[in-house]
């Protein structure tokens, strides 16, 4: 029986994935003269900033990340919470579920987005990339959540949209639901639980 429903942030709670990648694309072009297609960037979805920039030979990833975030902050108003999710979060809370965000964003980015979209009242726990030594796809973010929520790996349903989300849950032996409203449909064959709409989350845990 689930006690905690955990959500990834970008591409699961927020329709920010494409906007986020466009900001990254512009950052690479302007500051590093690296031209990258959107198709190539989509393959990096879910990876940490460190891994992404090192993939392009940029060793000072912290500076690169600051530049990326600066560009993202200018277009944050283009992002929205996915339709129907806030209602489902309320219904899950009414069921007595504890809710969590598990993301590869840095703590200050996570806190800013939670505040900007008024999500604080919905979530009991948040885990950022700064809270563990190793990010997703390592199991560490979910193990951190287990400590925060005082629960077992089997009492968590983790909902995400990327391959790294899938592997994080797999590495922690935790049930995973693919948020098809934000995920690449090609990932369906790797998941037992397919969530077509946010309503499906409620139907699984009620």
């Amino acid at each position: 029986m689930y006690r905690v429903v955990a959500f990834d942030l970008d591409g699961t709670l927020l329709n920010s994935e494409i906007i986020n990648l466009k900001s990254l694309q512009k950052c690479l072009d302007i500051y590093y003269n690296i031209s990258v297609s959107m198709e190539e960037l989509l393959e990096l979805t879910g990876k940490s900033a460190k891994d992404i920039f090192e993939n392009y030979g940029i060793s000072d990833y912290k500076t690169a990340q600051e530049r990326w975030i600066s560009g993202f902050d200018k277009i944050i108003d283009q992002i929205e919470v996915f339709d129907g999710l806030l209602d489902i979060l309320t219904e899950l809370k009414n069921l007595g579920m504890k809710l969590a965000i598990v993301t590869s964003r840095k703590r200050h980015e996570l806190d800013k987005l939670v505040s900007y979209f008024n999500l604080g009242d919905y979530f009991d726990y948040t885990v950022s990339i700064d809270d563990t030594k190793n990010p997703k796809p390592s199991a560490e973010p979910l193990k951190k959540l287990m400590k925060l929520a005082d629960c077992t790996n089997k009492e968590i349903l983790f909902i995400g949209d990327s391959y790294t989300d899938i592997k994080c849950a797999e590495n922690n032996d935790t049930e995973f639901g693919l948020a098809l409203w934000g995920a690449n449909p090609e990932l369906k064959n790797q998941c037992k639980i397919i969530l077509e709409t946010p309503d499906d989350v409620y139907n699984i845990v009620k």
Side-chain angles (χ1 to χ4, degrees), residues 1 7 12 40 43 53 59 93 102 111 118 142 149 152 156 183 186 201-203:
M1 182 176 177
F7 295 82
T12 302
E40 182 176 334
E43 295 179 2
F53 287 116
S59 57
K93 295 291 285 183
V102 178
D111 290 346
N118 298 312
L142 287 177
T152 69
I156 298 172
E186 293 181 2
V201 182
Y202 179 80
N203 294 331

Side-chain angles (χ1 to χ4, degrees), residues 38-55:
M38 188 59 63
E39 289 73 20
E40 182 176 334
L41 291 178
L42 281 168
E43 295 179 2
L44 301 175
T45 298
K47 291 186 178 295
S48 69
K50 181 176 185 292
D51 289 340
I52 289 172
F53 287 116
E54 287 183 349
N55 182 68

Side-chain angles (χ1 to χ4, degrees), residues 16-124:
S16 52
E17 204 66 74
I18 296 301
I19 294 171
N20 198 28
L21 291 178
K22 286 182 178 178
S23 177
L24 171 60
Q25 186 181 47
K26 189 172 183 179
C27 170
L28 290 171
D29 182 34
I30 292 175
Y31 294 105
Y32 303 99
N33 197 29
I34 299 173
S35 179
V36 185
S37 69
M38 188 59 63
E39 289 73 20
E40 182 176 334
L41 291 178
L42 281 168
E43 295 179 2
L44 301 175
T45 298
K47 291 186 178 295
S48 69
K50 181 176 185 292
D51 289 340
I52 289 172
F53 287 116
E54 287 183 349
N55 182 68
Y56 293 106
I58 301 169
S59 57
D60 185 5
Y61 78 91
K62 291 185 178 180
T63 297
Q65 186 176 25
E66 288 174 0
R67 290 168 171 169
W68 180 11
I69 293 170
S70 176
F72 179 81
D73 286 347
K74 296 175 182 177
I75 54 177
I76 194 173
D77 61 339
Q78 298 178 33
I79 298 170
E80 296 178 340
V81 178
F82 278 106
D83 286 344
L85 264 174
L86 294 182
D87 289 339
I88 293 304
L89 295 178
T90 298
E91 292 182 15
L92 292 174
K93 295 291 285 183
N94 290 339
L95 286 176
M97 289 289 163
K98 296 295 185 181
L99 303 183
I101 296 174
V102 178
T103 178
S104 292
R105 281 192 178 272
K106 295 184 72 63
R107 169 55 60 181
H108 68 89
E109 296 178 83
L110 169 57
D111 290 346
K112 180 173 183 176
L113 288 167
V114 167
S115 175
Y116 186 88
F117 292 101
N118 298 312
L119 296 175
D121 290 339
Y122 296 97
F123 290 96
D124 303 280

